[in-house]
């Protein structure tokens, strides 16, 4: 959808450099988030940022119109929220949980593996924060309720698109897996004789 919006606004012919520039900006932001997380662990922030931004794999992916960099950005955002806001605060503001839910929902829309984060990560975050005394034990209800709110926000972002795909494409999923792309390619190849070039 992100690439479709860029193509719609800029036209197909001129969208490629805009998509690459957009993904390079996301990569730079990933570097900034990595730098911020490095400070919490005493790692050299300049080195961590440089290793992230100039990682050959990520630089290569930034020049392809795929969901990899977008998912990496959302995953880095999720990790930054957990490390910098949840694990290193004595009182966690409600907007942090709202942001967490939004990022988790977008992660699920970007890649199927994002669903694992809503199923597994919410309980993991709760027990990690609770048993490491990150917040007072008296606030465990506040923590649990707000993590459930995060999960509900993620579901609110994810489920409408899943229902839409079920109605339109007869597939109860919000993302296209490699298997679906392979099957679509096989159908296209099987009909190539009837396609005029």
């Amino acid at each position: 959808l992100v690439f479709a919006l860029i193509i719609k606004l800029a036209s197909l012919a001129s969208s490629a450099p805009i998509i690459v520039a957009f993904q390079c900006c996301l990569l730079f932001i990933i570097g900034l988030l990595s730098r911020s997380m490095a400070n919490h662990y005493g790692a050299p922030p300049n080195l961590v940022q440089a290793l992230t931004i100039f990682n050959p794999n990520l630089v290569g992916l930034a020049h392809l119109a795929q969901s990899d960099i977008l998912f990496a950005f959302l995953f880095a955002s999720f990790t930054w929220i957990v490390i910098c806001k949840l694990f290193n605060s004595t009182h966690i503001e409600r907007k942090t949980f709202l942001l967490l839910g939004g990022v988790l929902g977008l992660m699920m829309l970007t890649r199927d593996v994002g669903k694992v984060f809503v199923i597994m990560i919410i309980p993991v975050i709760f027990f990690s924060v609770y048993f490491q005394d990150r917040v007072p034990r008296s606030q465990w209800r506040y923590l649990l309720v707000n993590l459930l709110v995060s999960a509900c926000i993620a579901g609110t972002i994810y489920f409408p698109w899943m229902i839409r795909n079920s109605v339109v494409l007869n597939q109860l999923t919000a993302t296209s897996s490699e298997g679906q792309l392979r099957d679509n390619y096989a159908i296209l190849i099987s009909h190539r004789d009837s396609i005029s070039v």
Side-chain angles (χ1 to χ4, degrees):
L1 289 174
V2 173
F3 298 146
L5 179 62
I6 294 173
I7 292 170
K8 177 74 174 174
L9 295 174
S11 81
L12 182 60
S14 58
S15 62
I18 297 172
I19 289 173
V20 170
F22 170 72
Q23 294 193 134
C24 287
C25 288
L26 291 182
L27 180 56
F28 182 74
I29 296 170
I30 292 170
L32 293 176
L33 294 172
S34 302
R35 178 187 183 90
S36 177
M37 289 184 278
N39 287 326
H40 287 281
Y41 293 102
N46 292 334
L47 179 62
V48 170
Q49 183 179 8
L51 289 174
T52 302
I53 292 175
F54 298 110
N55 179 312
N57 187 35
L58 292 177
V59 170
L61 289 173
H63 290 77
L64 300 172
Q66 297 178 344
S67 62
D68 298 87
I69 289 293
L70 185 57
F71 184 80
F73 166 73
L74 292 169
F75 182 78
S77 301
F78 162 79
T79 308
W80 179 81
I81 293 168
V82 170
I83 290 173
C84 298
K85 297 296 183 181
L86 295 181
F87 286 178
N88 289 290
S89 299
T90 55
H91 176 72
I92 306 165
E93 296 181 6
R94 184 153 297 174
K95 64 182 180 183
T96 301
F97 294 103
L98 300 177
L99 183 61
L100 177 66
V103 169
L104 287 172
L106 293 174
M107 282 176 66
M108 289 193 298
L109 285 182
T110 307
R111 287 288 178 90
D112 269 339
V113 72
K115 285 182 274 193
V116 175
F117 287 88
V118 172
I119 297 169
M120 296 300 296
I121 295 300
I122 297 295
V124 168
I125 291 172
F126 174 75
F127 288 115
S128 296
V129 174
Y130 181 75
F131 287 113
Q132 292 180 19
D133 293 326
R134 301 291 186 184
V135 296
R137 292 290 177 92
S138 60
Q139 292 189 14
W140 71 271
R141 280 198 186 98
Y142 173 82
L143 177 64
L144 182 59
V145 166
N146 282 289
L147 283 172
L148 291 175
V149 168
S150 296
C152 289
I153 290 171
T156 302
I157 293 171
Y158 178 77
F159 286 116
W161 194 254
M162 186 178 73
I163 293 168
R164 178 260 179 204
N165 283 352
S166 176
V167 172
V168 175
L169 304 174
N170 202 24
Q171 296 174 344
L172 196 61
T173 181
T175 58
S176 294
S177 67
E178 291 179 8
Q180 291 169 344
L181 293 174
R182 185 184 61 244
D183 293 343
N184 291 340
Y185 181 71
I187 292 170
L188 181 64
I189 293 300
S190 68
H191 293 92
R192 65 184 172 186
D193 294 334
S194 63
I195 298 173
S196 60
V197 181

